[in-house]
Amino acid sequence: MSLVVLITIAFSCYNLIVAAPPAFKQSEASALRNSRWWPPSVTGNTTLLYCAWPGVSCDDHGSVDWIYLTNMYRIGGNLSDMNFSLLPSLTYLQLMNTELTGVIPLQICTLSRLTHLDLSNNSLVGKLPPCVQNLINLEVLYIDHNQISGSIPPELGNLERLTDLNLGFNALNGVVPLTIGRLHNLKSLIFSSNDLGGSIPLELGNLTEMHIVDLSCNNFTGPIPSFIGNLTSLTLLYLQENKFGGFIPPEIGNLMNLTHLNLQRNKLNGSIPLEIGDLRNLRLLNLNSNNLVGKIPLELGRLIEMSFVDLSSNVFTGPLPSFIWNLTFLTYLSLQVNKFSGSIPSAIGNLEYLIKLNLSENRFHGAIPSEIGNLRRLEFLDLSSNNFVGKIPVELVILRWLSQLDLHNNSLFGLIPALKSNSFLYRLNLSYNHLKGPIPKNLVAAFPHTAFIGNDDLYYFDETQTYRRRSSVILHTPVFILLAVVFISCIVIGSCFLIQLATKSMPIKTVQPETLEKNGNFLSIWNYDGKIAYEDIINATEDFDLKYCIGTGGYGSVYRARLPNGKAVALKKLHRLEAEDPSFDKSFRNEVKHLTEIRHRSIIKLHGFCLHRRCMFLIYEFMENGSLFCVLRDDVEAVELDWSKRVDLVQDTAHALSYMHHDCARPMVHRDISSNNILLNSRMQAFVSDFGTTRLLDHDSSSNFTANIAGTYGYIAPELAYTLIVNEKCDVYSFGVVAMETMIGEHPGDIVSTLLTSSGEDIMLHRILDPRLPFPRENSVARSIVLIVSLALACLSANPKSRPTMKQVSEAFLARKLPLAKSFHEISLAQLQNNNRSWLEGGPTEASSGLSDE
Ligand SMILES: *[C@@H]1O[C@H](CO)[C@@H](O)[C@H](O)[C@H]1NC(C)=O
Ligand SMILES: *[C@@H]1O[C@H](CO)[C@@H](O)[C@H](O)[C@H]1NC(C)=O
Ligand SMILES: *[C@@H]1O[C@H](CO)[C@@H](O)[C@H](O)[C@H]1NC(C)=O
Ligand SMILES: *[C@@H]1O[C@H](CO)[C@@H](O)[C@H](O)[C@H]1NC(C)=O
Ligand SMILES: *[C@@H]1O[C@H](CO)[C@@H](O)[C@H](O)[C@H]1NC(C)=O
């Protein structure tokens, strides 16, 4: 359906309600009313024509042509409660996520005009009735995530217009009917997570338009057919968790557009075909848990786009080919449980995007190269159960995101490096090596002793024990007794002296906040439920001990403190810039007071602050999941932040910025929007932090000129390179970067700039989406992603004047989203970019979520 038609529908419906009342179709009205899918507040309102009920629209003749109910609107009834035979004009039926029960009624087969039928994610039972063959206009059929049983009716093959078929996550059994080969227009075929068996029918090889084939998690057997090589448009092939056996067919190399290939957990044998090197666009290759043998073919080195490689739990042998260290976009490399041998070269330092490296249970030998310190994003490093020798490289200490380190069962020797700066490290195993010397104290405190066992010369450094052992030796002679007495006295006196010194150097601990307040040295505002004493903060953080530090940034460090009342707060300790200037303190105080009064559900609450000659800190609500920046870099958390949460995140951020720019009492520009300043609570909801902090720290906070550029590199609007005027359009640009980053999973980097120069190649939208998440399966989410990316591109315009305002962005998110006129995987960034102009020029907001065909 083209955009024009969509708008016409919207407008004609509008006209019908407002201008000329349409013919009232008694039968349709009663079909809708009797379904009880709408609450009495809607059906009982006599002034409200059924065409204006939420989720309903009518054609020119007052006949219902759309029913569009989704998770915004739970029904919870029975699908058979609707008498579909009374709605002959229905073309679009969307009932995803509506808690419907019952079977698929035969009446639904009378809807011969239906083009879109989405019953996904309900509790439907029974079989898929063969009469669906009457729905000859059907293009989209989604029945996934129900409990549909029985076999797939061969009659499905009559739906020749079908482009998208999703029957995944049901209880279907039997085989795939051969008639499937008649669905020539099919682009997406998803049968995952059922009980289907047999082999892939030959007829599937006819469906050359296909982009997505997902047969994962079934009981399919037989070989992966070589005709799969005919499906040259495939971008995604998921056959994992079946019982496919035999070789991987070399014809797979024809799938030049393939980006995702997942064959894990099958019974494939033989070696990796060399033709795999032709899959130039491949980003994900998962062959985990098969019986594959042989060496990794050199041809794999041509796959420079590759980001996720899992070859674990096979019988691969030989050293790793050197090209692997040139796949610079690798983020996950899992080679564990194979028979790989050889050593790891220093070229490993090239893989600067690597997040996870698992080489465990192989036969690697040699030293761990110190270049491992170049892998700044590394979070999971597992080299256990190999034959690595030499020292643990001290460079590991600089890997600040490292959270799991497993080196157990090797032959490493030497001292354990001071891993204390790896503040995210929560799993450590160094057991069964030849390490020696003391275990660093902070490691003893943080990890169980099993992390260190099996190392003969490793010991716990305990001062009292060392002392006792020594004294037992020297007690034999009286002279030594005397010496011992002198020695002990020295220690006692010395430590008293030291304690005194320490106390003196920490006056903050002993001085009451009230006193300080009186002296005018200490200012505070607590807009907290109950007064927090300054001392509580100092106690809770042990005077800002490093172990409570959860992050550092340009302005200072952030600490986490748990107050005596049990609540956690985040403390932002700022570098003291204006130590001796009382007027600064006054303006600071006014500014903060104002900031504590901001109330918006997606802006972090500032509880108060403390300003003292020695320290200055702001007290915020604590966000359990930290910053968006960190979440996107954590494999597990990034997946937890699924598409619908990401969509919400971007929208909430837009609403918060719109509020601060346009709707609050004293509008304010943030000036440093970045993924570091979007924080997430335990439910992964987003909050904008640091509103006003930039301003607080700027000398002349009243003007829009800034002496020093405040923003974060990579998020700063390009015009700031030549002008010092900061206005809300700078925030709009930074918002665009964050929105793109949330969709891509990492900073968009060059994508935007190459796209914005006209010479850049056209990139398909689905190619840039975060590869760690499955493709968005809900229509509404896909639509939101399209809208987000098109708005983000508008926000990233180099010319500030062509950027939308945050209010426009926020309103676009609130407007009703019409279905996409193209299937998701056909949308390119250039199309979105051209398309977004329409609403900037005052066109209807709906335009930005649909795409015109012309
Ligand atoms: C009926 O719907 C109209 C239009 O939406 C609304 O203005 C009116 O308040 C509703 N009446 C009742 C009783 O809910
Ligand atoms: C299915 O619906 C339930 C509630 O109705 C919701 O919690 C869940 O996220 C939905 N799942 C999918 C895959 O849409
Ligand atoms: C590979 O798998 C096929 C089918 O499962 C089997 O017939 C064949 O014997 C296997 N080949 C080897 C070398 O294991
Ligand atoms: C690496 O692989 C081994 C073997 O499968 C597994 O036990 C271990 O948990 C993996 N390490 C990491 C850090 O995921
Ligand atoms: C150590 O590695 C060997 C093989 O390299 C393996 O057989 C053994 O089970 C491993 N031991 C531990 C404790 O992991």
Side-chain angles (χ1 to χ4, degrees), residues 682-753:
S682 57
R683 289 189 296 162
M684 292 283 186
Q685 290 165 322
F687 295 79
V688 181
S689 81
D690 273 354
F691 243 115
T693 319
T694 332
R695 216 163 119 137
L696 274 182
L697 296 176
D698 209 348
H699 297 250
D700 189 3
S701 61
S702 54
S703 91
N704 276 338
F705 289 85
T706 177
N708 46 341
I709 291 187
T712 303
Y713 180 74
Y715 296 83
I716 305 172
E719 67 270 19
L720 288 180
Y722 53 84
T723 155
L724 293 177
I725 300 174
V726 177
N727 60 25
E728 73 282 355
K729 289 296 177 76
C730 304
D731 278 0
V732 173
Y733 181 91
S734 311
F735 167 80
V737 180
V738 172
M740 285 300 269
E741 183 177 1
T742 311
M743 297 295 114
I744 298 176
E746 60 187 26
H747 190 278
D750 298 337
I751 291 182
V752 174
S753 47

Side-chain angles (χ1 to χ4, degrees), residues 312-313 334 336-337 356-361 379-382 384 404-406 427:
S312 62
S313 301
S334 302
Q336 70 269 22
V337 197
K356 181 167 182 169
L357 177 63
N358 197 341
L359 304 181
S360 126
E361 296 184 51
E379 293 172 32
F380 308 94
L381 177 61
D382 192 339
S384 62
Q404 297 190 23
L405 175 63
D406 193 342
R427 196 163 293 157

Side-chain angles (χ1 to χ4, degrees), residues 405 408 416 427-433 435 439 443 447-455 458 460:
L405 175 63
H408 89 269
I416 300 179
R427 196 163 293 157
L428 176 72
N429 194 348
L430 304 177
S431 61
Y432 300 102
N433 278 293
L435 300 168
I439 304 174
L443 296 184
F447 300 103
H449 81 286
T450 47
F452 310 103
I453 55 174
N455 287 285
L458 217 46
Y460 289 87

Side-chain angles (χ1 to χ4, degrees), residues 71 74 96-100 120-123 144-145 169 642 644 777-778 781:
N71 38 357
R74 303 245 175 259
M96 178 184 76
N97 243 342
T98 44
E99 297 180 8
L100 279 170
S120 61
N121 201 19
N122 287 296
S123 302
D144 56 292
H145 291 86
F169 294 87
D642 59 23
S644 68
R777 51 164 301 280
E778 284 179 36
V781 174

Side-chain angles (χ1 to χ4, degrees), residues 596-654:
T596 57
E597 285 156 7
I598 298 174
R599 297 259 184 290
H600 185 276
R601 89 184 164 81
S602 300
I603 295 178
I604 294 245
K605 185 99 199 52
L606 176 64
H607 289 312
F609 77 99
C610 158
L611 183 57
H612 177 260
R613 187 172 288 134
R614 276 199 54 217
C615 74
M616 169 160 110
F617 56 84
L618 299 164
I619 302 161
Y620 290 98
E621 218 176 334
F622 180 73
M623 292 287 137
E624 290 81 352
N625 272 315
S627 69
L628 174 63
F629 178 89
C630 295
V631 167
L632 289 180
R633 264 148 199 80
D634 181 306
D635 186 15
V636 179
E637 286 181 351
V639 170
E640 200 184 317
L641 190 65
D642 59 23
W643 285 123
S644 68
K645 289 188 185 118
R646 291 188 193 202
V647 166
D648 290 345
L649 180 152
V650 173
Q651 299 189 355
D652 290 345
T653 307

